[in-house]
Amino acid sequence: MEYPKPIMKMSELKKMGFPEEYLLYAFRSKNQRFASRMNPTKNKSTIIFDTAGFEAWRIKDIKAQVQAMPRGG
């Protein structure tokens, strides 16, 4: 997937169609290194994403979900 900017706010990613719940899941994921608050000392600070890191994480997450699915037959 292509992103218009290398660093994007959560609100910008939401406008691209990503659900807020999914973005928060990504932000809260253990050992992620692509999302942070602009001001870590404030709980309500804007969350920003390094889109290259987010995309790499997103692809890995999708692959993990597909592998975890039970196979029919």
Side-chain angles (χ1 to χ4, degrees):
M1 175 175 235
E2 302 256 341
Y3 297 89
K5 298 190 280 188
I7 303 292
M8 294 180 70
K9 296 177 184 178
M10 190 163 99
S11 60
E12 294 172 317
L13 291 169
K14 284 171 47 178
K15 287 179 185 174
M16 287 183 66
F18 289 101
E20 182 175 358
E21 296 82 13
Y22 185 72
L23 296 170
L24 289 172
Y25 164 67
F27 173 68
R28 294 175 180 147
S29 291
K30 193 174 184 179
N31 298 324
Q32 67 83 6
R33 298 182 183 271
F34 54 82
S36 62
R37 294 196 181 274
M38 288 180 74
N39 184 345
T41 64
K42 295 185 178 182
N43 286 340
K44 300 272 184 178
S45 180
T46 302
I47 298 172
I48 55 173
F49 288 77
D50 168 355
T51 54
F54 173 58
E55 183 64 11
W57 174 88
R58 195 176 73 82
I59 290 168
K60 286 171 78 174
D61 185 58
I62 290 168
K63 286 180 182 177
Q65 289 181 33
V66 169
Q67 289 178 346
M69 292 176 70
R71 301 198 182 212

